[in-house]
Amino acid sequence: ERRQDNGVYGMYAKSDIPHDTVLASFPLNQLVTASIDKNGPLSNSSVSNLVYAVILEMAKGPNSSKFAFFSMFETMDELSEHSAYFFTKNELRSIQNLNPILYRVTIEKIRRIDAIKAEIQKLDPGLSHDVIIQVTLNYFSRAWGTEVGFVPVLDLFNHSDRKGNKIIKRAEDTHVRLISRITVKKDEQIFISYSRKDLAEHAISFNYFDSAGTHYIDYSLRVLQTVNSEIKEKVFRYAAKKYGGHFFSVNDVKYFKLTAKNMFFLEGGPSFNLINYFKDIAAFESKLGDTAYSDQLVLENLLSVIDAFISANQSNKCDLKNIPEKVHRFYHLSIKERQILENNRYWVVDNV
């Protein structure tokens, strides 16, 4: 049942719920994504395609068969109060002072939202700016990717990394389901998991940060590398082909952006995938330079990244009372991030 506790609504167990129980289920053919034209004018951008489809449904108001999908959307007034998209220059500058890497990630998200808006407005110039922004921001805070999109029943559950339950959608399924991964006792709150995401996503997209939660630093999201030698370009092309990534230039400087999945600095140390990536890249670079590969090289490469991330994090030099209230979650995020990075440094020195 849905009820309020200390002013916060959540879903609670009316009786004991065993592990692997279906907590919620929704038919796939009733999702907004089921009616999207995969070959339509926005087919090259799945997010824009979904956002546009929802906007068209919203225009029908309560007469829409999918009214429940957007009836719980945050309004523009609510979003303008806390979304980083509406931060002032002074508020954004506060993030930059805390951590220029976090600032870059925030600006990248704002630019992506603006790009989605521009793409949809080009297709349908009569659409309201506010409606496009409202749906786009709700997409990043509420949707379950472009394959599933919005599922109204899932909006009723709060998030927890430790106790959150899984969203399941297999190729052969007719429903998207929420499955309990732990036993839930009577009167305990039932949580959902957003899956592993960089802790910055909680502050930027979900508009909150809980320091007590379990958090992760996504290496791919954070790292941006300069292509400053022929060997580095070959290494990055190898990484792009095997793990995902792309090149771009700004002011005649060439950069490589890794887009690999599931490469995290966890709270206690680097993930298995991240360690293997660094080992693979070190081995490939050693082969190109005709130098010996060693665990020491992997250690040095990992430490150089961790130390760069720690150096960029200036939370230890900032005073919360001098930071705008809307940016407080970014401050607490930065404190937690620094702890995670320091833990990873200890782990690398002790184990690699």
Side-chain angles (χ1 to χ4, degrees):
E1 65 177 354
R2 181 169 169 80
R3 65 177 189 240
Q4 193 180 43
D5 184 26
N6 293 323
V8 179
Y9 281 97
M11 296 294 283
Y12 290 81
K14 296 175 69 175
S15 59
D16 290 355
I17 300 175
H19 166 264
D20 209 30
T21 299
V22 176
L23 300 169
S25 178
F26 199 90
L28 293 174
N29 62 6
Q30 297 300 310
L31 296 173
V32 175
T33 51
S35 61
I36 291 177
D37 181 2
K38 305 298 184 184
N39 299 311
L42 295 174
S43 59
N44 289 330
S45 176
S46 53
V47 175
S48 297
N49 219 2
L50 175 57
V51 168
Y52 185 55
V54 172
I55 290 171
L56 296 181
E57 283 294 330
M58 283 179 64
K60 301 175 185 177
N63 293 325
S64 169
S65 61
K66 304 204 169 37
F67 182 72
F69 287 80
F70 45 82
S71 62
M72 294 179 66
F73 277 8
E74 289 187 277
T75 66
M76 281 294 282
D77 286 343
E78 291 169 332
L79 290 165
S80 63
E81 280 298 310
H82 55 245
S83 172
Y85 180 80
F86 295 102
F87 278 7
T88 64
K89 289 182 179 179
N90 182 55
E91 288 163 343
L92 289 171
R93 193 178 301 115
S94 294
I95 298 176
Q96 189 174 25
N97 292 337
L98 277 169
N99 187 340
I101 297 176
L102 180 59
Y103 171 78
R104 172 176 58 78
V105 172
T106 304
I107 294 299
E108 285 174 354
K109 177 57 69 73
I110 292 172
R111 288 174 177 167
R112 186 179 180 194
I113 293 165
D114 283 336
I116 292 169
K117 180 193 72 172
E119 190 174 25
I120 293 174
Q121 283 185 320
K122 184 178 180 180
L123 172 67
D124 196 338
L127 287 179
S128 161
H129 159 94
D130 285 358
V131 171
I132 300 173
I133 295 301
Q134 180 195 6
V135 176
T136 304
L137 291 176
N138 275 279
Y139 167 81
F140 284 115
S141 65
R142 293 171 179 266
W144 298 89
T146 53
E147 287 191 20
V148 173
F150 297 99
V151 185
V153 66
L154 300 184
D155 280 344
L156 302 175
F157 296 86
N158 294 319
H159 164 78
S160 171
D161 288 297
R162 292 190 174 95
K163 297 182 179 180
N165 298 290
K166 300 178 181 178
I167 303 298
I168 303 293
K169 176 190 169 292
R170 302 184 183 92
E172 67 275 12
D173 285 345
T174 59
H175 288 65
V176 58
R177 297 171 295 151
L178 176 64
I179 308 292
S180 61
R181 66 180 180 87
I182 59 173
T183 297
V184 183
K185 297 295 185 181
K186 180 182 178 181
D187 292 325
E188 285 185 344
Q189 187 172 174
I190 307 167
F191 292 97
I192 201 168
S193 173
Y194 297 157
S195 75
R196 284 185 177 179
K197 296 181 184 297
D198 189 289
L199 72 175
E201 280 293 328
H202 291 263
I204 298 170
S205 296
F206 306 140
N207 305 316
Y208 84 99
F209 183 76
D210 178 10
S211 298
T214 302
H215 295 106
Y216 316 92
I217 296 173
D218 185 339
Y219 173 72
S220 295
L221 180 71
R222 300 302 186 97
V223 72
L224 181 63
Q225 295 163 292
T226 306
V227 185
N228 53 16
S229 71
E230 185 178 338
I231 287 183
K232 283 296 182 186
E233 176 149 3
K234 290 180 179 178
V235 169
F236 294 149
R237 291 197 179 280
Y238 169 79
K241 183 177 180 180
K242 186 169 182 179
Y243 299 97
H246 61 268
F247 293 87
F248 66 95
S249 295
V250 177
N251 297 327
D252 296 324
V253 178
K254 192 172 185 179
Y255 295 95
F256 172 67
K257 181 62 180 172
L258 184 70
T259 57
K261 304 292 185 183
N262 299 317
M263 293 186 184
F264 295 103
F265 290 108
L266 309 176
E267 292 200 351
S271 68
F272 183 75
N273 286 346
L274 183 57
I275 294 171
N276 280 348
Y277 172 79
F278 271 83
K279 287 182 176 180
D280 186 26
I281 295 300
F284 183 78
E285 191 166 4
S286 295
K287 185 177 179 180
L288 283 178
D290 197 24
T291 57
Y293 167 83
S294 67
D295 288 341
Q296 180 65 25
L297 179 61
V298 177
L299 180 147
E300 291 172 357
N301 290 345
L302 267 169
L303 285 182
S304 68
V305 169
I306 294 171
D307 287 343
F309 285 178
I310 291 175
S311 178
N313 187 313
Q314 298 293 302
S315 59
N316 58 323
K317 300 178 182 178
C318 296
D319 190 333
L320 182 61
K321 67 182 181 182
N322 297 323
I323 296 174
E325 185 175 355
K326 290 182 181 180
V327 186
H328 282 190
R329 66 183 188 263
F330 288 86
Y331 171 81
H332 295 300
L333 178 162
S334 298
I335 295 292
K336 183 66 177 286
E337 175 192 297
R338 192 175 183 91
Q339 293 172 353
I340 293 173
L341 290 168
E342 288 172 349
N343 289 345
N344 273 263
R345 196 179 201 287
Y346 295 140
W347 188 97
V348 170
V349 171
D350 289 343
N351 292 278
V352 175

